Amino acid sequence: MLNQLLLCVILVVIVLAVAITDRAADHSLLLVATVIVLAGGAATLVVPWARIARAWVYVIPLADIVAIGLARSEQHLLGIELLWAFPVMWMATLGLTAFLTAAALVLVEFGAIIALAGASGSAVSYLLPAAVIVAIGVTSYVSSRRYRAQRVLLDKQTALLSGALSRAQGHEELMTDVLDAVDFGVIRITADGEVSVFNEALGRIQIDESDPEERAIFYTALYHSLTVPNLATDVDGRYRGTDLQIHQGDLDSPRYTVFSLWDTFRATHPLLNVLEPDRTEQFIRNFMDMHDEGGTLPMWELAGNYTMCMIGYHAVPVIADAWAKGLRGFDAERALKAMVAEATDDELSKPVWDSLGYLPLERESESVSKSLEYAFDDACIARMAQDMGRMEVAERFGRRAQGWKNLFNPDNGFIQPRYGAAWREGFDPTEVTFEYTEANGWQYNFFVPHDVSGHMDLLGGPEGYAEMLDEMFSGSSRMSGRHQSDITGLIGQY
């Protein structure tokens, strides 16, 4: 608002500078217009813009017609033009259409004044104030757009904060604990100067390494592994479920979020199953609740939302690995039921996988990667079902887990895409295509973690397997096909 006020002051100075060139002129109307403009500028600080704008826009055109008819000098006409400064500014705050309308009226008035002034008038005398008036409108329009955007953001933030505070009523002690915890030093360092909470988390693994740089690298990586999933439960126990509704939960059994499982099922969650078994059991209970709320296990859950990002149904290996490591703090029957439901859901060509034992490229994008990851997830279901004595489930998913072999080409030793029942022509294992997920044929060729011995047999035994591994690591890092920014830092084709 101060920017527009400054422009109005500049406009007043310009008009007065023009006016004083004619000392004999009657400057009364100019003085009145100047007072009105400056008063209007002050009024903007306390009165809503839109209310003043609407009133002024109705009054000024009528006053213009009368004033132009009574004008006795060029200065009178300049004063009349000056009166348009704030109407244009306020109309600009109402929107682009209103601003353009006001600007057009200024130009029309400018032409009318020139016509009435006749040969005695100087066009520049009127054009300069008119240009400043339009500039005032432009800055008003731009600043009002920014103000509205900031206001919307502030309103949203205020609503979120108000909601959080209102829900926290009756939990003053919890709020106090949270506010106390804002002091990072309280969390990081105890009274005697020793690291406490961080040491408890990172000290679960002790390494025999004297080099401080190597220790820093290791513990930094461990810290990164512990940053997610994040706590999503509010201080009063409420959380947003995967049905996007607010649920009342138990602070002793909190809800977590950020389950980017395609990124974490291979290594991070198996590590957390060892380092944080209690929290892992809570993750799995969360999975069950998410399945009940939203109808599916998380694939890449974020703040209660199913992002449908990445591939596979990798809540399954997290659950199965926890079960294999002896974690029992969850309902295994409920978990197995959800795992089977997820693997057989009518989405992402899972019925095709169930019937054919592989995904043809014309039926599903990233067909090779999905076939391999579905096979691994099914193997996890089979293993857990077998341990639970559910042999019919174990046998069914054990068969499905062998479907990866349907994409193995014995002629070249690669797991590669099929078009229908035929191999896709022109296969190049270095090519990055939409038949793989952020990878190529080389990088997915060894993703059979549930059947390494079976894969080894197909490659001619341990020696053939080792030769292909050596070729992957020692070969050229050149790739063909589409650019994939996620594939970087290659060692050979790995």
Side-chain angles (χ1 to χ4, degrees), residues 313 343-346 349-360 363 374 378 396-397 399-400 403 406:
Y313 28 101
T344 56
D345 198 5
D346 187 10
S349 295
K350 291 174 185 175
V352 177
W353 165 252
D354 188 63
S355 61
L356 295 181
Y358 69 96
L359 297 178
R363 301 289 295 273
Y374 287 0
D378 286 348
R396 176 188 179 187
F397 284 90
R399 288 193 300 270
R400 285 172 39 129
N406 293 322

Side-chain angles (χ1 to χ4, degrees), residues 74-185:
E74 295 177 47
Q75 284 71 37
H76 286 174
L77 296 174
L78 282 171
I80 293 168
E81 188 173 20
L82 177 60
L83 290 174
W84 266 103
F86 273 93
V88 170
M89 182 179 72
W90 278 309
M91 288 184 75
T93 68
L94 301 179
L96 182 59
T97 302
F99 162 59
L100 293 178
T101 301
L105 289 173
V106 170
L107 296 178
V108 170
E109 185 193 61
F110 168 65
I113 290 174
I114 290 294
L116 288 173
S120 63
S122 171
V124 175
S125 299
Y126 306 115
L127 179 59
L128 189 56
V132 175
I133 289 173
V134 174
I136 290 172
V138 171
T139 59
S140 295
Y141 175 71
V142 172
S143 63
S144 68
R145 287 291 295 263
R146 291 176 179 173
Y147 171 81
R148 288 176 182 175
Q150 293 171 349
R151 183 73 256 178
V152 169
L153 178 60
L154 180 60
D155 288 346
K156 289 182 178 179
Q157 292 173 338
T158 301
L160 289 172
L161 179 59
S162 298
L165 291 176
S166 65
R167 291 194 300 271
Q169 291 178 354
H171 298 272
E172 290 82 0
E173 293 183 2
L174 289 172
M175 287 299 295
T176 301
D177 291 343
V178 171
L179 293 176
D180 288 343
V182 171
D183 183 358
F184 188 68

Side-chain angles (χ1 to χ4, degrees), residues 347-407:
E347 63 173 4
L348 302 173
S349 295
K350 291 174 185 175
V352 177
W353 165 252
D354 188 63
S355 61
L356 295 181
Y358 69 96
L359 297 178
L361 67 90
E362 75 276 12
R363 301 289 295 273
E364 184 69 19
S365 64
E366 302 176 349
S367 58
V368 177
S369 296
K370 287 178 180 176
S371 294
L372 291 172
E373 297 195 19
Y374 287 0
F376 172 68
D377 292 342
D378 286 348
C380 293
I381 295 175
R383 174 64 181 272
M384 183 169 168
Q386 181 179 359
D387 289 348
M388 293 172 60
R390 297 288 301 277
M391 301 311 299
E392 72 286 355
V393 176
E395 291 172 2
R396 176 188 179 187
F397 284 90
R399 288 193 300 270
R400 285 172 39 129
Q402 294 300 306
W404 68 271
K405 295 178 180 177
N406 293 322
L407 294 182

Side-chain angles (χ1 to χ4, degrees), residues 386-460:
Q386 181 179 359
D387 289 348
M388 293 172 60
R390 297 288 301 277
M391 301 311 299
E392 72 286 355
V393 176
E395 291 172 2
R396 176 188 179 187
F397 284 90
R399 288 193 300 270
R400 285 172 39 129
Q402 294 300 306
W404 68 271
K405 295 178 180 177
N406 293 322
L407 294 182
F408 178 80
N409 187 344
D411 293 338
N412 58 21
F414 280 95
I415 300 172
Q416 65 184 73
R418 286 183 182 270
Y419 186 90
W423 300 117
R424 179 177 66 77
E425 295 181 0
F427 171 72
D428 177 0
T430 70
E431 183 181 9
V432 179
T433 71
F434 288 104
E435 295 143 1
Y436 298 92
T437 303
E438 299 179 4
N440 61 20
W442 268 114
Q443 292 146 16
Y444 256 98
N445 204 46
F446 291 91
F447 189 80
V448 195
H450 60 290
D451 193 11
V452 175
S453 58
H455 189 206
M456 189 177 295
D457 291 340
L458 292 179
L459 289 174

